[in-house]
Every structure is written in structure tokens, then in C-alpha cells.
Amino acid sequence: MQRDPHNPTASRLIVEESEITDSATLVQNRVALDRFTGGAFDTALFAEAPAVGGEVRLTLTVRNPTEADKGLLLLLLRDLWTGDLALGGTSNIGRGRLRGLNATITDLRGSEQPETWTIKQGDEGLTVHGEQQALEDLVKALHGGA
């Protein structure tokens, strides 16, 4: 569906995040680079103290999702879980990568009883509780049912 640039609409995706807990700060000195030449700026030494490690809680909600929207959200969760999709402004230097610990997926639409899946990272890999074929079907819906 083509969006009308003269009639803006709000996103149906709502993202909530918590403060990072149990992290450490690591002061790192860096040099600012000139994006045009690729060289260092004169007198552009700066220090930053990013959060290293720790835990953060993300809540992703889609209003009025289609089956394809749900499949796309599952792939987004996978890429965040595995660190393939970085968050934040310094991802180009290796920051902003997440590693999933556990997730709860709740589908409130489609039945009287919400469907729920839980995913946990264990020593033996991922464990998924809930009907896995339903999750596969959502991803297939994103690809046009192929």
C-alpha cells in the first residue's frame, strides 16, 4: 500500500525500553574523524563512557497487525536477539548489539484466549514453548505465503 506523503500517519509499532541495569561504564578516549577526508580532526580528542554489559527490557507492540506484520516482528526479534541488528548511534564501532535471554510473545487477536509463546536462551540453545508451526506460518505470511 502506497502512503500519501501529504497525509502523515503515526506508526503502528510502539517500542518501549527500560533503563539498562547491571552494567558497567568503561571510559574510552577517541578521536573525531572528518567524514569527508577520513582523517582526524585537529584537537578533536574526546572521551565517552558507554554502558557495557547489563540487561535491558524491550516491549514491542503493533496496533492492528496483519499476519505479515506479525511475521516481520518475529524476524525483527530474531535479528535483535542474535545481535545482527544493532541499536544506537555508535553501532559502527561495535556497540548497540543485544543478546537475547528470554522473550514472551502474546498474540491478542484471533481468538478468545490469547496465544502465548516463550523463548529462552539456555546452555543447549533456544527453547520455544508454544506451537512453533504457528510462528513459522506468520513468517511465511510475510513472504506472501510461499
Side-chain angles (χ1 to χ4, degrees):
M1 181 171 86
Q2 194 71 262
R3 300 239 186 247
D4 181 4
H6 303 292
N7 186 20
T9 58
S11 173
R12 294 183 297 124
L13 176 63
I14 301 163
V15 180
E16 301 171 58
E17 73 272 3
S18 69
E19 189 172 324
I20 299 172
T21 59
D22 300 326
S23 65
T25 54
L26 177 66
V27 177
Q28 181 180 22
N29 293 316
R30 297 184 49 212
V31 175
L33 298 178
D34 181 346
R35 292 177 190 222
F36 183 69
T37 65
F41 276 121
D42 291 337
T43 67
L45 182 65
F46 65 96
E48 58 185 4
V52 178
E55 293 186 11
V56 65
R57 177 185 205 100
L58 299 175
T59 303
L60 307 172
T61 306
V62 179
R63 294 180 293 194
N64 301 318
T66 64
E67 297 298 294
D69 291 337
K70 295 173 190 178
L72 182 61
L73 203 58
L74 283 171
L75 295 177
L76 171 67
L77 175 63
R78 179 200 62 193
D79 289 348
L80 287 172
W81 187 288
T82 58
D84 288 340
L85 181 62
L87 302 174
T90 55
S91 60
N92 61 335
I93 60 169
R95 296 203 186 116
R97 306 243 179 241
L98 302 179
R99 184 178 63 230
L101 298 175
N102 59 64
T104 301
I105 302 167
T106 306
D107 188 352
L108 300 175
R109 293 179 36 155
S111 67
E112 294 176 17
Q113 184 71 12
E115 280 190 87
T116 301
W117 297 266
T118 58
I119 303 171
K120 294 190 184 288
Q121 182 70 49
D123 294 335
E124 302 297 317
L126 290 179
T127 57
V128 178
H129 296 282
E131 187 181 336
Q132 295 180 30
Q133 185 59 47
L135 298 176
E136 291 286 337
D137 291 344
L138 293 174
V139 174
K140 287 179 183 175
L142 174 65
H143 295 294

